[in-house]
Amino acid sequence: MLQQILTDMFISPELLAELSEEQKQVLFIKMREEQVRRWKDGEARLEKEDATLTKPKKASVKSVQWLEGMDSDVWVWVMGDHPADQSYDQICDDIIAQRAACQAQREAEELRAKKEAELVKRFSSVLMDSELQLWKEEVERQEVERQEVERQEVERQEVERRAAAQEQSQQEVEIKKREAEERRRAEEEVRRVEQKRKQEIYMDLREVREERDDQHWQDSVRKSKAADLRRRSIAKQTRDDHRRQSVKALERGRVAAVTKAFGGDRPALPPKPKPRNLTVTSDTLNPKQGVRRTLSTSSREHIIRWFQEEQLPYRAGFQKDQSRIASWFHGIISRQEAEDLLSEGEPGHFLVRVSERILGYVLSYRCKEEFKHFLVDATEGCYMLLGHQIRFTSLAELVEFHEGEPITMSGGEQLLQPCGQKPSGVDYADLFT
């Protein structure tokens, strides 16, 4: 199922609705990896085509040269990192002051030109005498002096601003030095107290140990070591048994044992899926309209026929000993119906239901504050949670495995108590008739 989704790069809304959040994340990662792989293959193919059709490149007259620093890398300046850099408020104040000065200067120039035009208009026909010439020179001299005073005032303000910024920077450096010194002293004091307390505790424990009976202490240590050795041996044996059982379940399966228990002939296995063509083509990336997808269907009769023809021969839904139908198995019920059944139990209750939307199963689990639904892939003659790697030969083995191991390490969903049928009747009757 997962391979077909990655081949088509498409998942139907019905199938997506059956996935849990963890399975959706795993499926997204797998599809993203497949997209990257296809892109790389396309790039490699284009490079080969370009190599066969090599064209002479025109000499480009444009070029870009980056300024390099002392480390032979591109020089980058981040405003605000240097101690001499101004803060955002200071920069805004300087910009406002410059704009105000420029605007005032423009207005003064306009006023000066206007006055000059009026004077020229008034005295153009009159011959200016020497006194008028002197008055004009005096006005020009005063204007020059006024501009000089304004320039000096601006320079003085700029010097004062730089001095204030430098003083503030020095104060910040001094504060940081004092903070570092205080931290160092506090750390030394803590270490000194720790060493002193460590020595005191060591002496107290040593006195207590010397007061105990030596023989009794040695017996206790020996028993503790023996118990620890037994625990390690049991844990190692348990891990080896679990690994051995998992490998056997993955390699051989248990179809023969199930067939022998019922005394019938071995059912014919479903045909192996044809090898999928993983070549990247336009048809693969853009699935055609009208192509029938076997993973998803909305026909209840189709799901019942699939269960009776492909799943019932494997005794799907039965207990491990195949004596009767498992208490956790349910028929074709919706997500809401499953949550209604689980809401009557405690956290850890679970059930396995036949999906009403796809050809497969859904493991519904009750947490403390929510419900989770995990899609079970039943293709290729085995059962596995979508996104997991461990395959099981029956639903009972999958349930038994996760009764001891959580479904996900982050959620810790461990199957504790199966959720049975309603007192009014069973919901899987139409699957076995």
Side-chain angles (χ1 to χ4, degrees):
M1 181 186 298
L2 181 59
Q3 188 62 35
Q4 182 173 349
I5 293 173
L6 295 179
T7 302
D8 299 342
M9 293 302 290
F10 173 83
I11 181 170
S12 62
E14 295 85 358
L15 179 59
L16 185 62
E18 292 292 340
L19 300 180
S20 64
E21 291 299 327
E22 291 82 359
Q23 290 175 328
K24 288 179 181 178
Q25 294 177 4
V26 172
L27 182 60
F28 173 78
I29 294 173
K30 296 291 184 182
M31 295 181 72
R32 185 57 180 169
E33 291 176 351
E34 179 66 16
Q35 289 178 345
V36 173
R37 186 190 66 79
R38 293 182 180 183
W39 177 82
K40 289 182 178 179
D41 293 343
E43 290 294 325
R45 187 175 64 255
L46 291 176
E47 289 180 359
K48 291 181 180 179
E49 293 177 357
D50 293 341
T52 56
L53 301 175
T54 305
K55 296 182 180 179
K57 297 183 178 180
K58 296 181 179 179
S60 177
V61 297
K62 297 181 179 180
S63 63
V64 178
Q65 294 183 353
W66 300 95
L67 181 62
E68 296 183 354
M70 298 178 61
D71 54 355
S72 300
D73 199 357
V74 178
W75 184 82
V76 179
W77 174 65
V78 179
M79 187 174 68
D81 287 352
H82 195 270
D85 290 345
Q86 300 179 358
S87 63
Y88 178 77
D89 294 336
Q90 293 174 350
I91 294 174
C92 291
D93 293 340
D94 293 344
I95 293 174
I96 293 173
Q98 291 177 1
R99 289 179 179 176
C102 292
Q103 184 176 356
Q105 186 176 3
R106 287 196 302 270
E107 292 177 357
E109 292 292 338
E110 292 176 358
L111 181 60
R112 185 179 299 105
K114 184 178 179 180
K115 294 293 185 180
E116 183 68 20
E118 291 179 357
L119 291 175
V120 171
K121 185 178 179 180
R122 289 176 58 186
F123 300 98
S124 59
S125 60
V126 180
L127 187 60
M128 293 191 304
D129 53 5
S130 60
E131 293 182 358
L132 183 60
Q133 184 68 23
L134 293 175
W135 174 78
K136 185 177 181 180
E137 293 177 356
E138 181 66 20
V139 171
E140 292 178 354
R141 185 183 60 79
Q142 291 178 357
E143 181 65 22
V144 171
E145 291 179 354
R146 185 184 62 79
Q147 292 180 358
E148 182 67 19
V149 170
E150 290 179 355
R151 186 183 62 79
Q152 293 178 357
E153 181 66 20
V154 171
E155 292 179 354
R156 185 183 62 80
Q157 292 178 358
E158 179 68 18
V159 171
E160 291 178 355
R161 184 186 60 76
R162 291 183 179 178
Q166 185 177 2
E167 183 179 358
Q168 183 179 1
S169 176
Q170 292 178 354
Q171 290 178 357
E172 292 178 355
V173 172
E174 186 66 23
I175 291 173
K176 289 182 179 180
K177 288 182 179 180
R178 280 195 283 175
E179 181 182 1
E181 182 66 21
E182 292 293 334
R183 288 180 180 274
R184 185 184 62 79
R185 293 179 182 177
E187 183 67 21
E188 291 179 355
E189 180 67 19
V190 170
R191 290 179 180 177
R192 186 182 60 79
V193 174
E194 180 183 2
Q195 291 294 334
K196 182 179 180 182
R197 184 58 182 163
K198 180 180 178 181
Q199 187 67 21
E200 292 177 356
I201 295 174
Y202 172 76
M203 296 303 297
D204 293 341
L205 293 177
R206 188 172 182 178
E207 292 178 0
V208 171
R209 182 179 178 182
E210 291 176 355
E211 291 176 359
R212 293 180 181 178
D213 183 66
D214 294 339
Q215 185 63 31
H216 177 70
W217 175 258
Q218 293 177 0
D219 293 341
S220 299
V221 172
R222 180 177 52 79
K223 292 179 180 179
S224 177
K225 290 183 178 179
D228 189 25
L229 183 61
R230 285 195 300 271
R231 285 195 297 270
R232 292 182 180 178
S233 177
I234 293 172
K236 183 177 183 299
Q237 184 178 359
T238 304
R239 288 194 299 269
D240 295 339
D241 293 341
H242 174 69
R243 187 182 299 108
R244 184 167 55 256
Q245 293 175 2
S246 299
V247 171
K248 289 182 180 180
L250 290 173
E251 292 180 352
R252 297 188 308 175
R254 298 181 181 178
V255 178
V258 174
T259 306
K260 184 178 180 180
F262 280 90
D265 296 334
R266 182 175 182 178
L269 295 176
K272 294 184 179 180
K274 297 180 179 180
R276 298 182 177 90
N277 184 14
L278 298 182
T279 304
V280 181
T281 62
S282 59
D283 296 336
T284 303
L285 297 177
N286 301 317
K288 297 181 180 179
Q289 298 294 332
V291 177
R292 180 175 178 271
R293 300 183 181 276
T294 59
L295 293 177
S296 176
T297 179
S298 58
S299 174
R300 185 180 182 90
E301 291 76 10
H302 188 190
I303 297 176
I304 294 175
R305 185 168 63 254
W306 164 79
F307 180 84
Q308 293 177 351
E309 293 178 357
E310 299 185 15
Q311 297 298 307
L312 194 56
Y314 293 116
R315 315 302 289 175
F318 282 75
Q319 289 184 346
K320 190 174 182 180
D321 57 2
Q322 302 179 1
S323 60
R324 58 191 178 92
I325 299 176
S327 58
W328 40 260
F329 182 75
H330 289 256
I332 306 175
I333 61 176
S334 63
R335 177 190 291 243
Q336 186 60 41
E337 291 174 343
E339 293 181 356
D340 293 340
L341 289 172
L342 294 172
S343 62
E344 300 177 359
E346 299 293 332
H349 276 62
F350 70 96
L351 60 87
V352 178
R353 57 186 172 91
V354 180
S355 175
E356 63 176 349
R357 298 179 179 178
I358 66 169
L359 301 180
Y361 303 91
V362 179
L363 194 156
S364 300
Y365 179 83
R366 180 181 179 180
C367 302
K368 292 183 179 180
E369 300 179 355
E370 61 177 348
F371 300 93
K372 292 185 177 181
H373 304 272
F374 302 93
L375 183 63
V376 179
D377 189 357
T379 58
E380 300 181 2
C382 63
Y383 302 87
M384 61 183 296
L385 293 174
L386 186 64
H388 289 204
Q389 301 297 329
I390 302 179
R391 303 190 179 196
F392 303 92
T393 59
S394 65
L395 287 174
E397 287 187 3
L398 187 146
V399 172
E400 181 183 6
F401 177 78
H402 288 293
E403 286 177 348
E405 296 293 333
I407 298 176
T408 61
M409 298 305 296
S410 59
E413 303 89 355
Q414 190 170 357
L415 308 183
L416 301 180
Q417 184 67 29
C419 180
Q421 300 287 332
K422 292 183 179 180
S424 58
V426 297
D427 51 20
Y428 49 71
D430 53 353
L431 297 176
F432 298 94
T433 56

